[in-house]
Amino acid sequence: MLKIIAGKYKSRIINQPSKSTTRPTINRAREAIFSSIQFSIENKKFLDLFSGSSSFCLEALSRGAKLGVSIEKDYEAYLVSLENKSILGENNLLIFNTDAISYLNKIVNEKFDYIYLDPPYKIFNIINNCLEIIFSKKILNKDGIIIIETNKKTLELNNLSHYQMVKTKKYGNIYIYYLKYINNL
């Protein structure tokens, strides 16, 4: 069961895609992520590149974000995201049934304040590709933050030279990494 933690949709239950195709972020980790950014959510733009149920963007919108964009390749999970948008009546959530790389490559002059990367653990290397596109197209706002969820104790990224690690947290076997552009490029 997925529940919105705080804000205008607090305690509302949303649908969850099949666990055979998605791995939802545990409530405790999602709560911790949002607690760490709670004072800078209002009127910000959020992008979730592996959205599953869209819980990350819906949580952000519940807490006052201006826009949430959910990208989900799995069609069944995409349909669940559409159901969740409808359940909450949230008009500021855009949901696209495509893969993260295709979406990032199509972006023109769009910037986000928060970008969440939580790909299936077995395809961890896709994070490198996403980070490179985000940097080359300047998709992250100057003071924006990229949040990566993984089961990797060490974040080994090919292109970390563009980014600085600003925080790391551990919740059970989950690691959350916070990145910013180096020198606020």
Side-chain angles (χ1 to χ4, degrees), residues 64-108:
K66 175 173 41 176
L67 176 70
V69 177
S70 292
I71 307 305
E72 180 51 58
K73 182 172 116 174
D74 180 79
Y75 187 69
E76 297 302 319
Y78 164 75
L79 292 177
V80 169
S81 286
L82 291 175
E83 289 171 10
N84 288 337
K85 176 181 177 172
S86 178
I87 287 168
L88 298 178
E90 182 52 68
N91 294 323
N92 294 324
L93 176 64
L94 304 176
I95 305 168
F96 298 97
N97 182 215
T98 187
D99 66 276
I101 299 297
S102 296
Y103 177 79
L104 290 172
N105 281 323
K106 289 178 186 173
I107 289 179
V108 177

